[in-house]
Amino acid sequence: MATKKKRTPNVQNDSWVVIAADSAIDTQKHDSDPTFVRLRNPSTDAASLYLLGSGDVQLYEVKAFQEDFRSWFVGQSVQRDGRLMFVTPMDPLYLILPYLIKSGKEGKFQPLDQVIMDEELPACSRLLSCTRSLSSLHHIAEEKEVGGQKFHRYSQERTMNWLKKKVERTVVALKKTNISVGEGVKSTTYVRVKSESGTHEEDYLRYAHGLISDYISEDLSRALLKHLGLPELTSPKETEPPSKKRKLSDKPVEAGEDYTKFNSADFARKPSKKMSAAQKSLAKVDKTGMKTMSSFFSPKVKTEKK
Amino acid sequence: MDLKPFEADNSVSCRLTSPIPDVCRSEDCCLGVDEAGRGPVLGPMVYGICFCPVSKKEELKNLKVADSKTLTEAERENLFQNLDEASSYVGWATEILSPNTISVSMLQRTKYNLNALSHDTAIGLIQYALDCGVQLKEVYVDTVGPAEKYEEKLSQRFPGINVTVRPKADSLFPIVSAASICAKVTRDRVVKGWNFAEELGDVDTDYGSGYPNDPKTKAWLLKYLDPVFGYPQFVRFSWSTAQTLMDSKAVTVHWDDDEEDGEKAAQRQNNRSMLSYFSASAGANNQNPSHQTHRFFTERRLRSLDTLEV
């Protein structure tokens, strides 16, 4: 039975299925509850959802596993939204970085609370409460202290070294978790007899770079690639072999067959046949308003589309 | 007839059998196949076989077995009693195909239609008789679908056995009538004592004949329609009666293999339809074309969110 089903309109969701780190929901140490906040995604430059743990001490990113045709049975109810959300710890430096880079263009040392500002997404200032933020800022910025107040300035060199370390640590994690980084898809259920020989160190490095690139701007991603000593991949179009051309040879071009006989003088055209009686009578018929046979085979005149 | 094996779990199929008479192992036998409960939207479909030595055909006639449809329930029970008492030369077996089995077969991803299910069940029962050492020479079957094709299929499957497939075989051959009585009696008993797996409280068992056109059956189907789950396992979900009611009254459920077509469906499934390759703006549906999520995330269907709302 192929009945078309109507989609019922989405109803407001008031619950979600979430997997979160224990630390994310721990409210014992601080008075404020963990909250979902919208912050600027450094990779897309648009707002994305993040979670700040209680007391804004730790930043978490929110990712959703989402496929078509999924729903949840939760206790005694059904939840239409079949997503599975993951709340995983994240280094706040990634989110601070774009603001620092922007103010760094002026080349001045500035107090952080003047740098981390966003009219559209005011929650960004809360990033500074994260314990990791201030203590690890030296990875991406130079620091100056004047009269008890700290001033920062973006450093490309430090950032590159920091990101390189991130890539290297990602490589270690990739190897540990047995993630397929090579070309093509590897089935986890397929057991190889020989150990993986096709994946090189560069594959891991490139994969890790790609992963980190999901957390930084495109410009930084390109700079990081250079810093890692990886050549930029050429697009597959350019690596395609050139289309085959006919080989040129020195020999004069000659026709494979002799077509001249039809053009020669002694080639007599057959006289056109005389029309039969029936053909003659047909020819006399009044043809006004009739279409020629060939007109039925010519392309249609396009009618205007609605 | 001991129904306990089926009642222990009525969501699956179950085979009930009589002891095999000794003469059936030494003499040439004939076997009849018939079914009961093919049409109803409620309850199981039961396949029955009955077999006896070819030489005892006349005695079987004397038991006055006749097409089960012409008999009342009491008469059928009586005749089944007679068959059971003739156990020195008559053997039988029935296969109960639970409504759940029928629903699951017909609605699974690779569809297994009712005819194929019927044929396979019949074949299984004939094979069971052979496996028990019954010397089968003749098999009579009431037809399911075109008789010639079915006959050819069975003849090929059982070389050396003379297979006869006829419409109305249950009124032509006493051995098929006997099989039809076994099937019908089994079905009646199973339906009567149906053990609802679901917590429905005191179930109203006044559902009429169970056939889709019975108003009582329809009323019952309406009464026991759950907006989320549909029906108890007693109902064949694959019947259009049940499906139509669920389509109109229950919550819409979308499955991976739903037949949907057109641009909209393709877009929703994130595939590109063939047509999109011919339009000017092919593939430009990504909002931010410069940004591409790394394959670590796309392969795992993971994405960032900008809001908690769906």
Side-chain angles (χ1 to χ4, degrees), chain B residues 280-299:
Chain B
S281 62
N285 51 2
N286 200 337
Q287 286 178 332
N288 187 352
S290 69
H291 176 71
Q292 271 206 323
T293 312
H294 189 246
R295 69 175 160 117
F296 176 86
F297 298 108
T298 51
E299 281 168 6

Side-chain angles (χ1 to χ4, degrees), chain A residues 76, chain B residues 10 194-204 220 223-226 229-234:
Chain A
Q76 290 299 310
Chain B
N10 63 22
W194 189 265
N195 210 346
F196 286 89
E198 298 79 11
E199 286 176 23
L200 298 173
D202 272 336
V203 189
D204 173 12
W220 191 89
K223 185 176 170 188
Y224 283 97
L225 176 66
D226 181 281
F229 297 100
Y231 289 110
Q233 283 188 5
F234 187 53

Side-chain angles (χ1 to χ4, degrees), chain A residues 187-259:
Chain A
S187 166
T188 47
T189 50
Y190 176 74
V191 182
R192 269 171 216 270
V193 184
K194 280 185 200 167
S195 64
E196 195 85 359
S197 56
T199 43
H200 305 291
E201 200 58 30
E202 194 192 311
D203 287 335
Y204 276 106
L205 220 53
R206 240 178 231 292
Y207 195 96
H209 167 263
L211 252 179
I212 298 292
S213 294
D214 250 33
Y215 296 88
I216 53 179
S217 71
E218 224 189 312
D219 289 342
L220 269 183
S221 166
R222 243 181 271 122
L224 178 60
L225 201 64
K226 220 181 257 173
H227 189 69
L228 290 168
L230 293 171
E232 263 190 70
L233 283 179
T234 48
S235 72
K237 262 186 195 162
E238 290 165 43
T239 55
E240 252 175 53
S243 58
K244 277 183 187 168
K245 278 182 192 165
R246 239 195 230 186
K247 274 181 191 163
L248 294 172
S249 69
D250 298 333
K251 286 178 189 168
V253 180
E254 259 181 276
E257 272 180 77
D258 182 16
Y259 298 106

Side-chain angles (χ1 to χ4, degrees), chain B residues 162-178:
Chain B
N162 194 1
V163 181
T164 310
V165 178
R166 285 286 153 74
K168 301 223 171 72
D170 50 350
S171 55
L172 295 171
F173 311 104
I175 195 69
V176 181
S177 312

Side-chain angles (χ1 to χ4, degrees), chain A residues 70-85:
Chain A
R70 301 281 180 267
S71 292
W72 290 105
F73 280 109
V74 183
Q76 290 299 310
S77 63
V78 180
Q79 187 174 308
R80 183 205 177 98
D81 170 29
R83 290 183 303 181
L84 175 58
M85 314 239 258

